[in-house]
Amino acid sequence: MVSIAPTNWPRSELTKEDREPRKFVTEHGVDLRKLPNIVDMSSESITRNVVAINSSGSDDRMKFLFKSLITHLHAFVRETSLTTEEWMTAIQFLTETGKKCTDIRQEFILLSDTLGVSTLVDTINNAKPPGATEATVLGPFYTEDAHEVKNGDSIASEGKGEYMFVEGTVVDMLGNPIPGAIIDTWETDGFGQYDTQYDVRDEPECRGRLRSAEDGSYAFRAVLPVSYPIPDDGPVGRMIKKLGRHPYRPAHLHIRIEAPGFDTLVTALYFKGDPYLTSDAVFGVRSSLILDPELVTDTSVTLSRGFKEAKPHTYVHQDFILAKPEESEDARRVLRAVTKGSVGVNGGHF
Amino acid sequence: MVSIAPTNWPRSELTKEDREPRKFVTEHGVDLRKLPNIVDMSSESITRNVVAINSSGSDDRMKFLFKSLITHLHAFVRETSLTTEEWMTAIQFLTETGKKCTDIRQEFILLSDTLGVSTLVDTINNAKPPGATEATVLGPFYTEDAHEVKNGDSIASEGKGEYMFVEGTVVDMLGNPIPGAIIDTWETDGFGQYDTQYDVRDEPECRGRLRSAEDGSYAFRAVLPVSYPIPDDGPVGRMIKKLGRHPYRPAHLHIRIEAPGFDTLVTALYFKGDPYLTSDAVFGVRSSLILDPELVTDTSVTLSRGFKEAKPHTYVHQDFILAKPEESEDARRVLRAVTKGSVGVNGGHF
């Protein structure tokens, strides 16, 4: 194995023979003899040439991913006859998006969310069988430190928003109750903020963890979550605005349910009547997850459910149907087969 | 126009009527009545839904770009059944790539270069008619401050590398000489570094600006450039390595020629025998730009060409054929028509 130093060609002191193309292994361990000849790029040949040279590695999955990525990226440039100025705008946008990321702000995930990529990845990876409660995106506001609350207790302090009472049952695909399921729930307060978005956060607020009872039932007091804008003071916010879109998510209550022997469910409940339901900035809404909440004006019921003040409250009933891992895996297998067959883009090439 | 505050829905003090979906214009000026209904994403419907809501703006070119972008981005995710872990790897890679960018390091351009996107954009935007000298990528090392040198003078100080003499003529498509063309040229020294890559740079080195003579001729002394690795200590370098590729560019001499009435030519000359010619890390090589340099061992010629020491030198002869703007525009128009017709990817949808 002869190493190539960057300065070893062509040197005038070398003989003519030395200056012929040589067969080398670089100090990176790349055998130049095994690389495809990628000279002379045209707009026609460059894609197969880039794919070819990216196929030199040993990671088959990575090669497959890059083949698809390069093919689509190049097709995008060709189909749009992307101008040099547009290319530079994209470079600057991506750079700024990276610069905007901090420990508590992930602008690239926001970009993925607002382009529908996060929901698509979620749909493919967390598909549930027909009949099971549908999943939707986890979002950036889940935390591990939620307080344990008893069935029927509150996840929100007094004064954090309008009263909401949530109850239902956790069951399997046959309708059998699932006792002891761990239910995590989190939501905005009545001001449209998660607890983690405040400068000061003494302890978890508007979030809690409870367990389903022997009969699978659960209940908790909460506040009515409200619609809110995603962080729109960065490059993604500017993009959204230029596209004629608004940055709002409809109000929703996050739910995550974990039970032994079942596929963990990450989902959220939405509310009929929210003006942003049909134009969610991150494409998370599913029809099956939209509730029609009941406005309970009998304040004696409010008090009997444990709320402090005799005010009207919103009542929500939702059962959760959990699938077993093998049932979900079947659903994902079918989905993968269907989506691969239905893309209509370069179908035969991959 | 009624504004929507994020907290205005649903409020328990509102009447039932108030809680029905309302027709609103947001404070962002987005008329919710005009947005498509994008509820209920499936892996099938999400692409057309994202495209639909991105079509609300007034910028037709932006809408077209995003339609193509979203379609290809989603097709990539579907075709690969991208896993949640792979998605997170991509998010982290992009974030790190943004963080790596500084005033003197552009990691996203490097990513574009190594994925063949820069060359593809260059090919589409800088196509030349058949017979004209081909263009290739400008690269990141061009500077405005190169010294003016006289025809036949040197662009490199003594000791910066092995001697190279370059000469030729600048002509139009009919072979007529172009006098007074401004020729910018820049290159690595014999250590594979551009002057801007050194910590200290007192003045421009291995770069110069000269003008073609009345008969279109030009000549200058330089050093033999050498192959060098692109910056590979960041995320793009790691990617290259994982793909089984090396980071080298073959040795090359950059040339930029500007002349009134002609399309500015940005190109580079490569050298036969370079081991990296067929696997350039940034896909810049074109067959028509590969020279077969002559090794001149008669040292009296070396001295007569103005070099200081009686050593052998490399001799390179290259004519540059410049196209007029309208000739290049014709070539680009043909190329755009050809590439759009030939992509074979989602051809009918755009």
Side-chain angles (χ1 to χ4, degrees):
Chain A
M1 247 168 65
V2 184
S3 250
I4 297 175
T7 55
N8 79 341
W9 178 94
R11 305 180 77 87
S12 47
E13 68 263 32
L14 295 180
T15 65
K16 174 74 181 154
E17 200 169 72
D18 281 335
R19 298 173 69 216
E20 290 301 303
R22 288 183 259 164
K23 312 298 180 218
F24 278 137
V25 176
T26 72
E27 76 267 30
H28 302 80
V30 176
D31 188 338
L32 296 180
R33 288 165 296 190
K34 292 186 179 166
L35 294 179
N37 181 337
I38 59 156
V39 78
D40 217 20
M41 301 293 131
S42 72
S43 70
E44 301 291 299
S45 64
I46 187 162
T47 305
R48 61 175 176 275
N49 279 310
V50 177
V51 168
I53 203 156
N54 281 343
S55 302
S56 323
S58 57
D59 184 335
D60 284 342
R61 176 67 181 168
M62 190 176 184
K63 285 190 268 188
F64 176 73
L65 289 173
F66 272 76
K67 181 178 179 178
S68 179
L69 178 69
I70 296 295
T71 303
H72 284 294
L73 199 53
H74 287 202
F76 163 69
V77 172
R78 271 192 296 258
E79 282 168 13
T80 59
S81 288
L82 196 71
T83 69
T84 305
E85 293 70 31
E86 287 162 350
W87 171 82
M88 185 48 87
T89 300
I91 293 286
Q92 287 165 345
F93 175 82
L94 291 167
T95 304
E96 201 187 331
T97 301
K99 297 280 181 210
K100 193 80 191 172
C101 294
T102 65
D103 286 349
I104 55 163
R105 168 90 175 248
Q106 229 308 348
E107 193 81 356
F108 269 114
I109 291 186
L110 202 62
L111 179 61
S112 169
D113 292 349
T114 54
L115 297 183
V117 172
S118 305
T119 289
L120 179 56
V121 169
D122 182 70
T123 301
I124 291 171
N125 287 279
N126 297 306
K128 306 293 179 195
T133 302
E134 286 193 278
T136 186
V137 286
L138 179 73
F141 299 113
Y142 171 75
T143 67
E144 295 276 355
D145 67 352
H147 288 318
E148 300 263 351
V149 298
K150 278 189 190 158
N151 246 329
D153 272 2
S154 182
I155 64 157
S157 305
E158 189 67 29
K160 287 291 173 182
E162 296 173 20
Y163 293 156
M164 177 170 77
F165 192 77
V166 186
E167 68 177 0
T169 308
V170 183
V171 296
D172 68 14
M173 296 276 290
L174 300 173
N176 303 310
I178 303 176
I182 301 169
I183 304 167
D184 263 285
T185 183
W186 63 106
E187 58 168 355
T188 67
D189 58 23
F191 306 99
Q193 299 260 88
Y194 289 89
D195 58 353
T196 53
Q197 295 181 290
Y198 287 99
D199 291 339
V200 177
R201 179 182 184 263
D202 293 328
E203 57 176 341
E205 178 64 78
C206 294
R207 62 178 76 232
R209 182 174 296 136
L210 61 158
R211 282 172 183 271
S212 58
E214 271 309 304
D215 61 353
S217 68
Y218 75 91
F220 58 93
R221 300 195 302 280
V223 294
L224 198 57
V226 296
S227 52
Y228 61 89
I230 57 168
D232 63 345
D233 60 340
V236 172
R238 284 208 319 273
M239 178 190 79
I240 289 286
K241 195 177 175 187
K242 267 208 96 167
L243 285 167
R245 290 165 54 177
H246 64 75
Y248 282 99
R249 295 216 62 200
H252 56 279
L253 176 75
H254 288 280
I255 300 276
R256 180 184 185 278
I257 306 181
E258 197 178 325
F262 292 90
D263 206 25
T264 296
L265 173 68
V266 175
T267 191
L269 303 177
Y270 299 86
F271 303 89
K272 197 175 163 186
D274 189 302
Y276 302 112
L277 268 186
T278 59
S279 58
D280 182 2
V282 308
F283 309 99
V285 181
R286 293 174 178 280
S287 296
S288 69
L289 302 173
I290 301 174
L291 306 180
D292 193 0
E294 182 190 338
L295 181 61
V296 180
T297 51
D298 180 348
T299 57
S300 70
V301 179
T302 302
L303 295 174
S304 75
R305 283 179 170 157
F307 292 105
K308 203 172 157 190
E309 294 185 27
K311 297 191 299 188
H313 75 276
T314 298
Y315 173 76
V316 160
H317 183 101
Q318 177 71 21
D319 294 332
F320 295 102
I321 305 170
L322 268 50
K324 295 189 169 140
E326 58 273 22
E327 292 165 339
S328 291
E329 187 43 49
D330 282 348
R332 284 192 281 271
R333 199 175 301 122
V334 169
L335 183 68
R336 281 195 293 266
V338 168
T339 53
K340 278 186 190 165
S342 74
V343 288
V345 179
N346 220 7
H349 295 195
F350 291 96
Chain B
M1 247 169 63
V2 184
S3 251
I4 297 174
T7 54
N8 78 341
W9 179 92
R11 304 180 79 86
S12 47
E13 66 264 33
L14 297 179
T15 65
K16 174 73 180 155
E17 201 169 73
D18 281 331
R19 298 174 68 219
E20 289 301 304
R22 288 183 260 165
K23 312 296 180 218
F24 278 137
V25 176
T26 71
E27 75 265 31
H28 301 79
V30 176
D31 188 339
L32 296 180
R33 287 166 296 191
K34 291 186 178 168
L35 292 181
N37 182 336
I38 59 155
V39 80
D40 218 20
M41 301 294 132
S42 72
S43 70
E44 303 290 301
S45 64
I46 187 163
T47 305
R48 61 176 177 275
N49 279 310
V50 177
V51 168
I53 202 156
N54 281 344
S55 303
S56 323
S58 57
D59 184 336
D60 284 342
R61 176 66 180 168
M62 191 175 184
K63 284 190 267 188
F64 176 72
L65 289 173
F66 271 76
K67 181 177 179 179
S68 179
L69 178 70
I70 296 296
T71 304
H72 284 295
L73 198 54
H74 287 201
F76 162 69
V77 172
R78 272 192 295 258
E79 282 168 14
T80 59
S81 288
L82 196 71
T83 68
T84 305
E85 292 70 30
E86 288 163 347
W87 171 82
M88 185 47 87
T89 300
I91 294 287
Q92 287 165 345
F93 175 83
L94 291 168
T95 304
E96 201 187 331
T97 301
K99 297 280 181 209
K100 193 78 189 172
C101 295
T102 66
D103 286 348
I104 54 162
R105 169 90 176 247
Q106 229 306 347
E107 193 81 355
F108 269 115
I109 291 187
L110 203 62
L111 180 60
S112 168
D113 292 349
T114 54
L115 297 183
V117 173
S118 306
T119 289
L120 179 56
V121 169
D122 182 70
T123 301
I124 291 171
N125 287 278
N126 296 306
K128 305 294 179 195
T133 302
E134 285 193 278
T136 186
V137 284
L138 179 73
F141 298 114
Y142 171 75
T143 67
E144 296 275 354
D145 68 354
H147 288 318
E148 300 264 351
V149 298
K150 278 189 189 157
N151 245 330
D153 272 2
S154 180
I155 65 157
S157 305
E158 190 66 29
K160 286 292 173 184
E162 295 171 19
Y163 292 158
M164 177 170 77
F165 191 78
V166 185
E167 68 177 0
T169 307
V170 183
V171 296
D172 70 13
M173 296 277 290
L174 300 172
N176 303 310
I178 303 175
I182 301 169
I183 304 168
D184 264 285
T185 182
W186 64 105
E187 58 169 355
T188 67
D189 58 23
F191 306 99
Q193 298 261 88
Y194 289 89
D195 57 354
T196 53
Q197 294 181 291
Y198 287 99
D199 291 340
V200 177
R201 178 182 185 264
D202 293 328
E203 56 176 341
E205 178 63 76
C206 295
R207 63 177 75 233
R209 182 175 295 137
L210 60 158
R211 280 172 185 271
S212 58
E214 272 309 304
D215 62 353
S217 68
Y218 75 91
F220 59 90
R221 300 195 300 281
V223 294
L224 198 58
V226 297
S227 52
Y228 60 88
I230 56 168
D232 63 345
D233 59 338
V236 172
R238 284 209 319 274
M239 178 191 79
I240 289 285
K241 195 176 173 187
K242 267 208 96 167
L243 285 167
R245 290 165 55 176
H246 65 74
Y248 283 100
R249 295 216 63 200
H252 55 279
L253 176 75
H254 288 280
I255 300 276
R256 180 184 184 278
I257 306 182
E258 198 178 324
F262 292 90
D263 206 25
T264 296
L265 173 66
V266 174
T267 190
L269 302 178
Y270 298 86
F271 303 90
K272 198 176 162 185
D274 191 301
Y276 302 112
L277 268 186
T278 60
S279 58
D280 181 1
V282 309
F283 309 99
V285 181
R286 292 173 180 281
S287 296
S288 70
L289 301 174
I290 302 175
L291 307 180
D292 193 1
E294 183 189 337
L295 180 61
V296 180
T297 52
D298 180 348
T299 57
S300 69
V301 179
T302 304
L303 295 174
S304 75
R305 281 176 171 159
F307 290 106
K308 203 172 156 191
E309 294 186 27
K311 298 191 297 188
H313 74 275
T314 298
Y315 173 76
V316 160
H317 183 99
Q318 177 70 23
D319 295 332
F320 294 101
I321 305 170
L322 268 52
K324 294 187 171 141
E326 58 273 25
E327 292 165 338
S328 291
E329 187 42 50
D330 282 348
R332 284 192 280 272
R333 198 175 301 121
V334 169
L335 182 70
R336 282 195 293 264
V338 168
T339 53
K340 277 187 191 165
S342 74
V343 290
V345 178
N346 220 6
H349 295 194
F350 291 98

